[in-house]
Every structure is written in C-alpha cells, then in structure tokens.
C-alpha cells in the first residue's frame, strides 16, 4: 500500500489534463455530499524526536538544544528556572511556547500562551484585540516599515524596576497592521541541506497552469534563502538568532543590540546570550542561537499516518486517502507543493542524501491580492510567499501566514484571488465532485 501511495506523484505534468478530464467526467457519478475538513487528527504526534542516524554526540547536542528551546526567559534571570534577557519588548518568553503543536518544534497550540505572558510577573500589558485565548500566536508587522512591532513590554514586571515604555498603538495602526504565525520547524535540517540547484530545478519556465515560482536569495552571497514565510532567512542559526532578538528581545551574537534602547529598561550587558568562554563542558560552551539551530537541524520530520498498515485511519479509509493523493497531483497542487526533494552531500551523515517529503518547492509564488501583506523581504514582493511545507499538516490548528482560518477547505480556497499563480489549480479543484474534494482533504489531514 505504501508503494501504491507514493506512485501517485510520479505522473508527468503533460498527463495532468488527461487525468483531470477523466476525473471531471466521473464527477457526475459521485454521490452528492458537502466536503468538510475532517479536523486535526488524533493519535500520537509523530513528531518531536531526533532524526534517525545521529551519532551519540550529535544526539547529546540535540538534547541540549531542546533544553534551550523550551527555556523561559526573564529580564535579569533572577527568577528560578529562567534565563536572562527578556525584553524590553517581546512577543513571548520562550521558543517552545510558540512552537509546541503537536510537539516541541511545531506551531501554535490550542491555548495561546500570549494571553498569560501579557501580565506575567506583574507586567501591565493589555492583550491586543487580535490575540485570543484559543486563537493563533501572532506577531504584528506594520506595512509602513515592514518590521515586527512586539506586542508586549517589560513595564511593570517585578524584575524590571523603573522601566516605563508603552506598547505599540495597534488600534491606531488600523490597515497598516498585518500578522504572521509561527512556522513549524520539524525536518528543518533536511530543508537546510537541500542544494540550491535542486530548488532551482523546481522553477517552471514557461509556467504550467499559471505556476512558475522564483527563488529568494541572500543579498551578499547570492545563495538561496529558504526559511520563513517569505523564505527570507538563509540558515537555521540566522533564523534562531533573529527570532531570539525579535520575539523574545534577547540580544545575542548574531543580533547583539537591543531593539529598544530606552535607558531605564536596559538591565544587562549585551549581547545577553553568547558563547560561554569559561565553560569546559562542550555541551555548555555554545550560545543559545547555536543550541536552537542544533535542535532544529536534528529534529525529525513529522511522520504521516500509517495508512499502509491499517485499512482505516480514524473514520477515514485508506482508499479515500490514496484517491486524495492522486487528485492532489492531478489538479496541479504538486506544481508548488512538490512531494519530495533529496538533500545534498552533507557533512552530517544523518542529513546526507536523504529524501525530504516536505510537499514544498521552497520557492516564492505570487499568491494574489487575497493573501497580500505588502511586506517586502529580499526578492519577495507584497504578494509573494514561500510554498508552505505540508508535512505535519494533519495536526496543525491554524492556516495561512496570518492564521486567519482553522478550516483547511477555507485555506485552499484562499489560494485563489486576483493575480494568484494558483487560480487555475484552484479552479481545477473546484470542478472536482464533493467526494473527490473530501478525498483531498482526507489526504492532507493524513500528512
């Protein structure tokens, strides 16, 4: 059954029109029903552990990185069980808080921890209207400057005496305000190990069904960037250092300055997190930016449901899942959500020549006016987004870059709007029968 499931992705693009015609002709024979997102699948997370093949010492660095990833920050580190460096402005006080669904390294959980951190340790923050207890974790950006404007400050906290700075005026920002939600980090080391030439081979010139794609690049080296909603970050260590500084306010060796230098709110020497030069334990020498990147680099990709060892997954039969995989390819979804890529010649044996079933081409695509956020990052324009990897989709709670929906069917439909490269593909999807659409949804929730 496993080989049968994989084979649906080997059809050449030239056969897509024939396949789709056959699907369309058969639609009238399907029983009428209303397709619906089956929802977050139950069972084991299938994620959160280390990638297979690590050496004993690599496994220890993975565990050390995981410990750092779940650490909670406080302003001066004097609160038991916390690490120094929070603020003066921040969105949350730990990496693991944002990346916890369905396991550490994932994405927004069902209960938003931003609600509790707003007034933690005496802080006097007001929770913005776009943050809800059961909604997605969000960071806020202003279109006018493109930057992240942190939700909270350390004003009023017991470990920040004398600090008095105001939260941004998100109400006044109005239409200038846009949002981003956390991206999952599962399998990130495999993504980092994919060569630029492999990614470039996914570009389509001329376009196929309107889909082309283009890469984002680092400005000086000129090599391909691949992490973040707009593929704006080059590597996991850069991604880590930036997030540490932006999301938690912790200055580090990659981003050594505080984002707010109001003197009454500066309590620590900078960079607050750095190499521990005097420590003789190899596992404790690295700063947290490196620790975070080690954790993500060695974090295993999420596993799909074992549809090939059981005839039924929950209430969904494997026939539906396999049919959905076939249709997902036939209508053109795999033009962007490419099933797999193979990593290059990696210095880490566990990442060398591995197949990454990420369902992404790691390219930028114009997603039209409906999803535009008017943020420019590198070569990524106001409507451009990196193809979101779909592995682990079955257990995600929120979709699209701003978390606007929890409904997978709504997320699919949002791909279509004026100017979107996906318009023809979504038109093809809409011509499927209700039963065929349900098969696609069931397949996606099996990932």
């Amino acid at each position: 059954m496993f080989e049968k499931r994989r084979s649906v992705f080997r059809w050449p693009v030239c056969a897509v029109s024939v396949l789709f015609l056959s699907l369309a002709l058969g639609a009238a024979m399907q029983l009428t029903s209303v397709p619906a997102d089956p929802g977050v699948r139950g069972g084991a997370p299938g994620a959160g552990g280390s990638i297979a093949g690590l050496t004993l010492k690599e496994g220890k660095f993975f565990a050390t990185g995981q410990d750092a990833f779940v650490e909670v920050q406080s302003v001066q580190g004097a609160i038991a069980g916390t690490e120094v460096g929070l603020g003066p402005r921040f969105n949350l006080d730990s990496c693991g808080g944002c990346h916890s669904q369905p396991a550490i390294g994932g994405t927004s959980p069902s209960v938003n921890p931003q609600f509790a951190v707003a007034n933690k340790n005496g802080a006097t923050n007001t929770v913005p209207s776009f943050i809800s207890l059961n909604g997605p974790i969000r960071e806020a950006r202003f279109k006018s400057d493109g930057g992240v404007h942190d939700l909270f400050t350390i004003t009023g906290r017991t470990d920040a005496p004398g600090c008095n700075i105001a939260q941004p005026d998100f109400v006044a920002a109005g239409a200038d305000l846009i949002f981003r939600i956390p991206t999952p980090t599962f399998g990130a080391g495999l993504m980092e190990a994919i060569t630029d030439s492999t990614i470039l081979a996914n570009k389509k010139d001329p376009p196929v069904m309107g889909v082309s794609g283009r890469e984002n690049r680092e400005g000086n080296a000129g090599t391909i960037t691949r992490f973040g909603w707009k593929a704006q970050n080059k590597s996991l260590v850069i991604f880590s250092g930036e997030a540490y500084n932006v999301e938690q306010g912790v200055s580090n060796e990659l981003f050594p300055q505080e984002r707010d230098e109001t003197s009454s709110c500066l309590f620590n020497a900078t960079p607050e997190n750095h190499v521990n030069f005097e420590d003789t334990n190899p596992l404790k020498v690295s700063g947290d930016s490196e620790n975070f990147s080690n954790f993500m680099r060695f974090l295993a990709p999420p596993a799909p449901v074992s549809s090939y060892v059981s005839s039924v997954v929950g209430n969904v039969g494997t026939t539906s899942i396999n049919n959905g995989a076939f249709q997902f390819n036939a209508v053109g979804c795999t033009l962007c959500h490419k099933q797999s890529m193979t990593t290059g010649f990696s210095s880490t044996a566990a990442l060398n020549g591995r197949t990454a079933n990420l369902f992404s081409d790691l390219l930028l695509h114009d997603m039209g006016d409906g999803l535009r956020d008017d943020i420019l990052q590198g070569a990524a324009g106001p409507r451009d987004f990196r193809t979101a990897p779909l592995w682990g989709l079955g257990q995600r709670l929120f979709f699209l870059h701003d978390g606007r929906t929890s409904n997978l069917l709504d997320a699919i439909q949002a791909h279509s709007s004026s100017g979107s490269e996906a318009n023809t593909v979504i038109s093809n999807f809409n011509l499927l029968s209700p039963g065929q659409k349900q098969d696609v949804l069931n397949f996606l929730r099996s990932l």
Side-chain angles (χ1 to χ4, degrees):
M1 183 67 75
F2 178 63
E3 289 301 321
K4 179 180 179 182
R5 183 178 175 190
R6 289 184 59 187
S7 67
V8 299
F9 297 103
R10 296 175 181 165
W11 290 84
V13 171
C14 61
V16 167
S17 59
V18 175
L19 293 172
F20 181 71
L21 177 61
S22 134
L23 292 170
L25 290 173
M29 301 177 65
Q30 300 285 327
L31 294 176
T32 301
S33 60
V34 178
D37 181 358
V40 178
R41 60 179 172 82
S50 61
I51 196 167
L54 294 181
T55 66
L56 176 63
K57 291 181 179 179
E58 286 170 341
K60 289 182 177 180
F61 276 98
F62 168 80
T64 298
Q66 186 176 48
D67 289 343
F69 199 82
V70 298
E71 277 178 347
V72 175
Q73 307 295 139
S74 63
V75 179
Q76 300 184 64
I79 298 173
T82 65
E83 186 83 3
V84 66
L86 183 69
R89 298 181 181 275
F90 65 98
N91 286 323
L92 202 64
D93 58 357
S94 77
C95 299
C98 286
H99 298 277
S100 59
Q101 172 62 30
I104 296 300
T107 185
S108 288
S110 58
V111 177
N112 189 341
Q114 290 178 309
F115 237 76
V117 81
N119 302 119
K120 191 174 181 179
N121 293 318
T124 56
N125 295 292
T126 298
V127 178
S129 61
F130 51 82
I131 299 297
S132 60
L133 183 61
N134 299 116
I137 292 169
R138 281 174 164 160
E139 69 169 24
R141 289 177 181 264
F142 288 177
K143 298 177 186 179
S144 53
D145 60 25
V148 176
H149 290 254
D150 287 329
L151 309 189
F152 308 122
T153 78
I154 59 175
T155 298
R157 282 181 59 109
T158 57
D159 54 353
C163 178
N164 186 19
I165 51 175
Q167 293 174 260
D169 190 341
F170 295 117
V171 175
D176 194 35
L177 186 64
I178 62 99
F179 310 114
R180 298 268 179 90
I181 65 172
T183 57
T185 65
F186 301 129
L190 293 172
M191 293 167 59
E192 188 177 50
I194 294 170
T195 63
D196 285 6
S197 58
T198 299
I199 296 172
L200 290 173
N202 297 323
K203 297 174 67 174
K204 295 165 181 66
D205 185 17
V208 178
M209 294 188 189
V211 173
S212 55
R214 58 195 180 91
E215 72 279 11
N216 206 346
R217 291 182 180 270
E218 198 279 327
N220 293 311
T223 52
I224 294 176
T225 52
R226 61 198 67 191
F227 297 107
W229 282 104
K230 297 207 173 206
Q232 70 270 18
N233 287 123
K234 172 62 191 173
S235 67
L236 289 173
V237 69
I238 293 173
F239 175 77
S240 298
E242 181 184 78
Y244 210 15
N245 190 231
V246 172
E247 309 299 344
Q248 298 182 61
V250 181
S251 57
N252 57 80
E253 288 163 316
L254 291 171
F255 291 80
Q257 283 75 41
E258 296 282 14
R259 299 187 70 225
D260 187 319
E261 294 186 333
T262 301
S263 59
S264 62
C265 300
L266 301 180
F267 297 93
N268 310 308
T270 58
E272 292 160 308
N273 191 270
H274 51 79
V275 171
N276 302 303
F277 295 103
E278 303 303 321
D279 207 310
T280 58
N281 182 341
L283 294 174
K284 296 183 178 181
V285 171
S286 299
D288 279 346
S289 296
E290 190 69 41
N291 289 332
F292 300 154
S293 64
N294 286 336
F295 168 64
M296 293 186 287
R297 184 172 294 116
F298 296 149
L299 188 59
V305 295
S306 299
S307 58
Y308 22 84
V309 298
S310 173
S311 61
V312 174
V313 181
N315 294 319
V316 177
T318 55
T319 297
S320 174
I321 291 172
N322 290 326
N323 287 343
F326 176 86
Q327 292 153 7
F328 185 79
N329 179 61
V331 302
C333 296
T334 51
L335 294 173
C336 295
H337 292 284
K338 180 180 176 68
Q339 182 196 8
S340 66
M341 286 188 273
T342 302
T343 64
F345 187 24
S346 175
S347 55
T348 299
L351 301 174
N352 181 38
R354 293 282 301 275
T355 298
N357 294 309
L358 69 169
F359 288 91
S360 172
D361 57 10
L362 297 179
L363 293 173
L364 298 171
H365 294 274
D366 186 338
M367 298 309 299
D369 288 336
L371 290 177
R372 71 179 299 150
D373 66 356
D374 291 316
I375 302 297
L376 310 180
Q377 292 183 286
R383 307 192 307 192
D384 292 334
F385 291 93
R386 180 198 66 168
T387 302
L390 299 184
W391 53 8
L393 188 71
Q395 293 184 304
R396 290 186 209 165
L397 301 172
F398 308 103
F399 303 115
L400 304 175
H401 65 278
D402 52 9
R404 68 180 65 179
T405 182
S406 295
N407 187 300
L408 187 53
L409 185 58
D410 290 344
I412 292 172
Q413 296 295 349
H415 282 57
S416 178
S417 65
S418 176
S420 173
E421 290 184 35
N423 283 340
T424 297
V425 173
I426 302 305
S427 293
N428 291 345
F429 173 80
N430 288 336
L431 288 173
L432 296 176
S433 70
Q436 291 167 332
K437 291 177 184 175
Q438 188 64 58
D439 288 342
V440 172
L441 295 172
N442 294 344
F443 160 65
L444 291 173
R445 282 299 194 181
S446 77
L447 295 178

